[in-house]
Amino acid sequence: MSEARPPLPPFTRETAIEKVRAAENGWNTCDPARVSLAYSPDSEWRNRAEFVRGREDIVAFLARKWARELDYRLIKELWAFTGERIAVRFAYEWHDDSGNWFRSYGNENWEFEANGLMRRRFACINDLPIAAADRKYHWDRAGPRPEAHPGLGELGL
């Protein structure tokens, strides 16, 4: 186990919540290379209708994503867990290069290796256009959601 990403499976409710928040914090950096390190070298993804395999593809995918989805802010919430699997629901806000805002809603199913690296990720996502005034995610810069910022349930999402 040369590469490890705690917490490790099998997950408890507490460690599953910790894993979800770590994933949220990582994705909120919008740093493709850094985010890719949470995934196994041969990780398999389905993101919407796109299939991605391995860290090199993950980095390329995320670079394209965050070049298009500007001022990206994400909140994830644990939905269910068992053994080496976690299911989450999430929503993120972003705008395009024309200033049109969106809130994207979805669900992910994750499967982990014994070392805590994610080996499989399946994501279903829908985009909803929103007015800038309807944004709910208010933190200033890319990076972790502030501890005091409400989660999905508290925001009514």
Side-chain angles (χ1 to χ4, degrees):
M1 226 194 277
S2 60
E3 219 178 340
R5 183 67 66 127
L8 308 177
F11 297 108
T12 64
R13 178 169 177 70
E14 292 73 27
T15 61
I17 289 169
E18 183 181 341
K19 197 71 156 179
V20 171
R21 187 60 187 251
E24 174 189 311
N25 289 346
W27 279 63
N28 275 325
T29 68
C30 298
D31 180 338
R34 178 177 169 186
V35 171
S36 76
L37 297 177
Y39 300 90
S40 65
D42 61 348
S43 186
E44 297 176 15
W45 287 18
R46 183 191 46 75
N47 195 89
R48 301 178 192 248
E50 189 168 351
F51 293 83
V52 176
R53 185 175 184 110
R55 285 185 179 157
E56 187 175 312
D57 286 353
I58 290 170
V59 169
F61 171 86
L62 293 173
R64 286 191 315 274
K65 171 185 180 63
W66 289 321
R68 187 182 77 253
E69 296 177 356
L70 307 174
D71 289 324
Y72 177 94
R73 303 288 185 273
L74 166 71
I75 299 176
K76 291 183 182 279
E77 180 179 275
L78 177 67
W79 187 254
F81 71 95
T82 185
E84 78 284 358
R85 293 183 173 165
I86 295 176
V88 299
R89 69 185 197 99
F90 64 87
Y92 61 91
E93 294 180 348
W94 57 281
H95 67 85
D96 62 19
D97 59 1
S98 297
N100 300 303
W101 280 93
F102 299 86
R103 185 173 305 117
S104 299
Y105 296 93
N107 301 293
E108 292 177 329
N109 295 312
W110 301 341
E111 184 177 76
F112 294 87
E113 295 182 344
N115 64 2
L117 295 176
M118 193 183 302
R119 70 173 151 225
R120 300 172 89 193
R121 175 184 173 269
F122 303 104
C124 298
I125 307 166
N126 298 297
D127 302 318
L128 175 69
I130 61 172
D134 293 333
R135 292 177 53 222
K136 295 182 180 274
Y137 299 4
H138 300 287
W139 61 94
D140 293 334
R141 58 178 173 68
R145 171 172 48 111
E147 288 298 323
H149 195 284
L152 295 177
E154 298 155 312
L155 291 169
L157 301 174

